[in-house]
Amino acid sequence: MSGELTQSVIKRIIRQVGLECVAQGQSLSETLVAFMVKAVVLDPRNDFNMDQILTENDVQDLIQLCVTRLLDTTNPSLSTIKMQVYFDMNYANRDELLSEQERVLEGKVAAVVRAITESGPHAPEEVENVYQKIVTYALLRSGLGSPTDVEAIREVTAALQSVFPQTEMITFISLSKKDKEQQLKDLAMLVTGIRLYNKQCQKGGSGIDDLPNILHEAIPSATRTLDERLNSCQLLAHRYTALLESMQEDHHKHSQLSTFKLKEALFNVRQYEAFLCILQSNAITSAQEVESLDVKFEAAMAVLKNTVQDKTSIESKEVFPLFMELSKLWTGYQNEMLLLSFLTNMADNLQQFLEIQSQLFPEEILTSLLEGVTVKSDEERIKETMGTRVNVSDFRNQEWLFPETTDNFDQLLIQYHGFCAHSIGVKGITLPGNPAIGILKHKEKYYVFSSKEAAYIFAQDPDKFIQLNVEKAKKYAELIQLLELRHQFEYLVPHAQARNAKKDLMKPPPKCDSGTQTDTHILPPTIVRSYEWNEWELRRKAIKLANLRRKLTHSMQTNLSHMRRENFTQVYLPKEVGTQTKRDNSSDVPKPQIFLKGLRGGSSTTHMVTVDLTRPLDET
């Protein structure tokens, strides 16, 4: 069948099956009806071929089979499917539940926040009205008291005035809408911290429950209840397993028990056990979280008391963070209360899907059937096989994993919810697998076994036994979720929408209007500049390249350039050099003055006389 035609036909079948059940006095959810349609189609005993177009007779037969199975309240298989649908539709992990609670809280105070942030009061009466709304917001946001409790309102008002007097409303009004919303949250946390501190000092605390003590009593009580129910259903599983094994060994026993729906009953309690284990794990996590909150809350309160003591005034930067820390820790207590209430309700509501066990197998009948039958617990079965393991040398093409040779051995994702991969398809029972025997890795998936013999048989042809398990799941549709085989059958479900790997069954796909915007050219451009789309331009370039191949490049020498070249010479320029010689000196001595007398001659003979007028040296 084509995809669209298949979907339209199945939707019509689901609608008609739902109407038939309503006419019979049973109002069932569309998800449950869709899953039952899937179960009937998958069951090979019904001979439905989804590769062919369903005739009108086939459609009517399918509707009738679905209605019959949905109205058969004595079949444990129906109770198991209802349990799976209920758990899938209602269970949420911690993060999902707390996110939903935050969304609900935001919706609860949305109207008050809108009235505060969107108003622009000017008159004193309007400002007073907005201030009273801030008081209401702080009370609603904290969840500590009712808006109709006069004493709680008085405490909130006093705490708010100590950190946010009405005179600061002018500044608050001038803020943007986003800043107003953030300041409202901060004020609510401060008010909550102040009220918690006053309660600790026995100066207030109206409407504030003692959550730590309540949790200290409620969590152990819830854990004990879960343990008791878990032990009870495990005991039933062990008894049913023993009876089924005895049926395969004793033909008389087989004829005696063939009328009972033991396999369906076993799958029912195994699924109930799996869900209880999930709730028990969440309860343990809550207990650990409460212990951590106790330590942090006491430490924060001690620091706050030491900081405040009997002081009349304290700087806000010192005490405000301490009040906000108290508020955050108290919110943690409130979250744990919410989670514990959710887990308790889930456990109580799951109990109804196990009521069919007491109807089919009253204690007297079950005790008589177990005469001469040895009942072994899962722990006893694992303990019996602890000394045996697979010999790797017996398998050449198979990979076996063991605790001492494999890192994170306990974290491996075991197929079939940890049950023996051999016993499901061959025996139709769920036996606990023992990883110590050896984990078979086949096509990147891991399988465990209840015995060494089962491991050897399975390893001879894994694909054969895997297909047997799939066929068994088609016959018993509740095994699809119990053995975590949803991914192999999801294509046949009209509304299948798994929320995560651990959750199953059908949800209509969520739809919403959304828009996205991306940056322009976030990557560097990769434009090829040499690209040409024009064929003729490519031809022209090809001809040009072809012509170039026939061209040669020549060089020649001329007479003028022969043996010529450009020369360069580098010289050192003379530098200025100076030398130093002796200095000139002088002394003061008499100046010689010598005269000659008689040079002019006379009447007589010329007679020259030398006259020395130089002064003596000692006179100078």
Side-chain angles (χ1 to χ4, degrees):
M1 298 176 64
S2 63
E4 294 183 359
L5 184 59
T6 302
Q7 294 296 327
S8 62
V9 171
I10 292 181
K11 287 181 179 179
R12 181 168 68 89
I13 293 172
I14 293 173
R15 184 170 57 254
Q16 292 185 4
V17 171
L19 293 175
E20 288 282 345
C21 292
V22 171
Q24 297 289 335
Q26 289 286 342
S27 179
L28 304 175
S29 66
E30 181 182 351
T31 304
L32 176 61
V33 175
F35 189 88
M36 186 56 67
V37 172
K38 168 187 176 180
V40 172
V41 170
L42 288 177
D43 194 340
R45 295 171 295 185
N46 297 326
D47 295 328
F48 285 107
N49 188 356
M50 293 302 295
D51 295 331
Q52 298 179 359
I53 297 177
L54 294 176
T55 64
E56 188 61 30
N57 291 334
D58 293 336
V59 171
Q60 294 302 321
D61 291 342
L62 178 58
I63 293 173
Q64 189 59 41
L65 286 172
C66 293
V67 172
T68 302
R69 292 191 61 175
L70 287 170
L71 298 179
D72 185 8
T73 56
T74 62
N75 191 349
S77 179
L78 177 62
S79 296
T80 306
I81 293 174
K82 286 183 177 180
M83 182 188 347
Q84 292 171 345
V85 172
Y86 170 80
F87 194 84
D88 179 73
M89 299 293 291
N90 294 275
Y91 176 76
N93 58 34
R94 289 178 61 90
D95 295 337
E96 293 174 343
L97 192 62
L98 295 180
S99 298
E100 178 65 16
Q101 175 64 15
E102 180 66 21
R103 188 188 65 80
V104 172
L105 182 59
E106 291 290 345
K108 185 179 179 180
V109 299
V112 181
V113 172
R114 190 162 49 249
I116 296 172
T117 57
E118 294 181 357
S119 62
H122 299 286
E125 297 79 6
E126 296 177 347
V127 174
E128 175 67 23
N129 187 25
V130 173
Y131 193 82
Q132 291 300 323
K133 290 180 180 178
I134 296 177
V135 173
T136 303
Y137 170 83
L139 185 59
L140 292 175
R141 182 78 187 182
S142 65
L144 304 180
S146 171
T148 59
D149 188 348
V150 178
E151 185 64 23
I153 294 177
R154 187 187 65 79
E155 290 183 10
V156 172
T157 304
L160 183 63
Q161 287 177 347
S162 65
V163 296
F164 184 72
Q166 193 167 342
T167 55
E168 295 187 11
M169 283 295 296
I170 299 176
T171 305
F172 178 80
I173 293 170
S174 63
L175 297 176
S176 64
K177 186 175 184 295
K178 185 176 181 180
D179 292 338
K180 286 180 181 178
E181 292 176 354
Q182 183 59 44
Q183 187 166 354
L184 284 175
K185 292 181 180 179
D186 294 341
L187 289 174
M189 294 178 69
L190 287 173
V191 169
T192 301
I194 293 172
R195 293 187 65 198
L196 292 172
Y197 175 75
N198 292 337
K199 174 179 171 58
Q200 189 72 14
C201 298
Q202 298 181 353
K203 297 180 180 179
S206 176
I208 302 177
D209 297 325
D210 191 359
L211 295 186
N213 288 334
I214 294 175
L215 287 169
H216 292 162
E217 296 176 0
I219 290 180
S221 176
T223 305
R224 284 193 301 270
T225 302
L226 289 174
D227 289 339
E228 292 172 358
R229 293 177 180 176
L230 189 59
N231 292 333
S232 176
C233 78
Q234 287 175 343
L235 178 59
L236 280 177
H238 301 158
R239 289 180 171 183
Y240 294 157
T241 303
L243 286 175
L244 287 169
E245 287 181 324
S246 66
M247 286 175 60
Q248 297 175 359
E249 299 172 358
D250 187 351
H251 295 287
H252 175 70
K253 202 80 171 178
H254 183 275
S255 60
Q256 182 183 3
L257 296 174
S258 58
T259 57
F260 294 95
K261 299 178 180 180
L262 274 175
K263 290 183 180 180
E264 292 89 340
L266 174 61
F267 300 150
N268 180 265
V269 293
R270 284 297 189 186
Q271 185 64 80
Y272 182 71
E273 175 190 7
F275 289 153
L276 283 186
C277 287
I278 295 175
L279 299 181
Q280 186 185 50
S281 176
N282 291 340
I284 294 173
T285 303
S286 292
Q288 295 172 347
E289 188 67 22
V290 169
E291 291 180 2
S292 176
L293 287 172
D294 289 340
V295 175
K296 294 179 181 178
F297 189 80
E298 291 178 3
M301 188 64 73
V303 172
L304 184 58
K305 287 183 177 180
N306 294 333
T307 303
V308 176
Q309 294 179 353
D310 297 328
K311 299 178 182 178
T312 56
S313 63
I314 309 173
E315 292 187 11
S316 59
K317 64 180 181 181
E318 294 182 8
V319 73
F320 279 13
L322 300 178
F323 285 134
M324 298 184 76
E325 181 65 19
L326 277 184
S327 176
K328 291 178 182 178
L329 295 174
W330 197 260
T331 301
Y333 282 121
Q334 292 174 324
N335 291 338
E336 295 307 320
M337 283 293 299
L338 173 68
L339 291 166
L340 183 62
S341 175
F342 170 76
L343 295 178
T344 303
N345 290 336
M346 284 291 297
D348 292 340
N349 292 330
L350 286 176
Q351 189 71 15
Q352 61 180 314
F353 302 109
L354 207 67
E355 293 176 353
I356 193 171
Q357 300 291 335
S358 59
Q359 299 175 10
L360 292 177
F361 302 100
E363 185 63 27
E364 299 79 11
I365 296 178
L366 191 58
T367 303
S368 63
L369 292 175
L370 287 170
E371 291 181 358
V373 178
T374 303
V375 178
K376 299 179 182 179
S377 66
D378 292 348
E379 293 76 12
E380 291 173 346
R381 292 178 183 273
I382 293 176
K383 189 175 181 180
E384 289 178 353
T385 58
M386 284 302 293
T388 60
R389 63 165 48 195
V390 171
N391 188 0
V392 180
S393 60
D394 295 338
F395 303 92
R396 294 183 178 180
N397 300 324
Q398 301 289 356
E399 182 180 357
W400 293 88
L401 306 179
F402 299 97
E404 63 275 6
T405 59
T406 306
D407 294 334
N408 301 321
F409 184 81
D410 295 335
Q411 303 300 323
L412 295 177
L413 184 60
I414 306 300
Q415 296 296 306
Y416 306 131
H417 200 70
F419 293 117
C420 176
H422 174 262
S423 63
I424 296 170
V426 176
K427 300 180 181 180
I429 57 179
T430 52
L431 295 177
N434 185 2
I437 296 174
I439 296 179
L440 174 63
K441 182 178 181 181
H442 178 70
K443 295 182 179 180
E444 302 303 321
K445 295 182 179 179
Y446 306 96
Y447 302 90
V448 293
F449 309 94
S450 59
S451 65
K452 182 179 177 180
E453 294 74 17
Y456 272 72
I457 296 173
F458 184 92
Q460 292 177 2
D461 191 356
D463 294 329
K464 169 188 173 183
F465 291 99
I466 291 172
Q467 186 60 33
L468 284 177
N469 296 337
V470 172
E471 294 300 324
K472 188 66 67 174
K474 289 181 179 180
K475 188 175 181 180
Y476 301 96
E478 59 269 30
L479 289 177
I480 295 176
Q481 180 169 353
L482 177 60
L483 302 181
E484 300 172 352
L485 299 175
R486 171 190 49 79
H487 59 281
Q488 300 188 29
F489 302 95
E490 194 173 36
Y491 63 93
L492 288 177
V493 183
H495 301 298
Q497 183 68 30
R499 287 181 289 185
N500 51 49
K502 294 183 180 179
K503 304 192 71 174
D504 190 23
L505 297 180
M506 297 145 287
K507 283 279 184 92
K511 297 180 180 180
C512 65
D513 295 331
S514 63
T516 58
Q517 182 175 359
T518 57
D519 294 334
T520 305
H521 303 312
I522 58 176
L523 297 176
T526 56
I527 300 175
V528 181
R529 301 295 180 182
S530 60
Y531 172 76
E532 285 289 347
W533 62 271
N534 193 336
E535 180 181 353
W536 292 103
E537 181 64 22
L538 293 174
R539 288 170 179 252
R540 187 186 69 78
K541 289 184 177 181
I543 294 172
K544 183 178 179 181
L545 291 174
N547 290 336
L548 286 176
R549 293 185 61 189
R550 295 194 295 268
K551 307 299 181 183
L552 296 176
T553 301
H554 297 277
S555 62
M556 61 183 62
Q557 192 87 28
T558 63
N559 292 329
L560 293 178
S561 64
H562 180 58
M563 297 297 290
R564 299 283 182 93
R565 64 176 181 176
E566 295 181 357
N567 293 334
F568 296 92
T569 305
Q570 183 175 3
V571 298
Y572 291 97
L573 297 177
K575 60 181 180 179
E576 296 182 0
V577 179
T579 59
Q580 185 173 1
T581 61
K582 295 180 180 180
R583 63 179 180 176
D584 295 335
N585 202 355
S586 61
S587 60
D588 192 10
V589 297
K591 184 177 182 182
Q593 294 183 357
I594 300 173
F595 299 94
L596 295 176
K597 179 182 175 184
L599 292 178
R600 293 182 179 180
S603 55
S604 59
T605 305
T606 302
H607 178 74
M608 290 187 299
V609 180
T610 300
V611 181
D612 188 1
L613 298 180
T614 303
R615 297 179 63 184
L617 185 61
D618 55 353
E619 293 181 2
T620 58

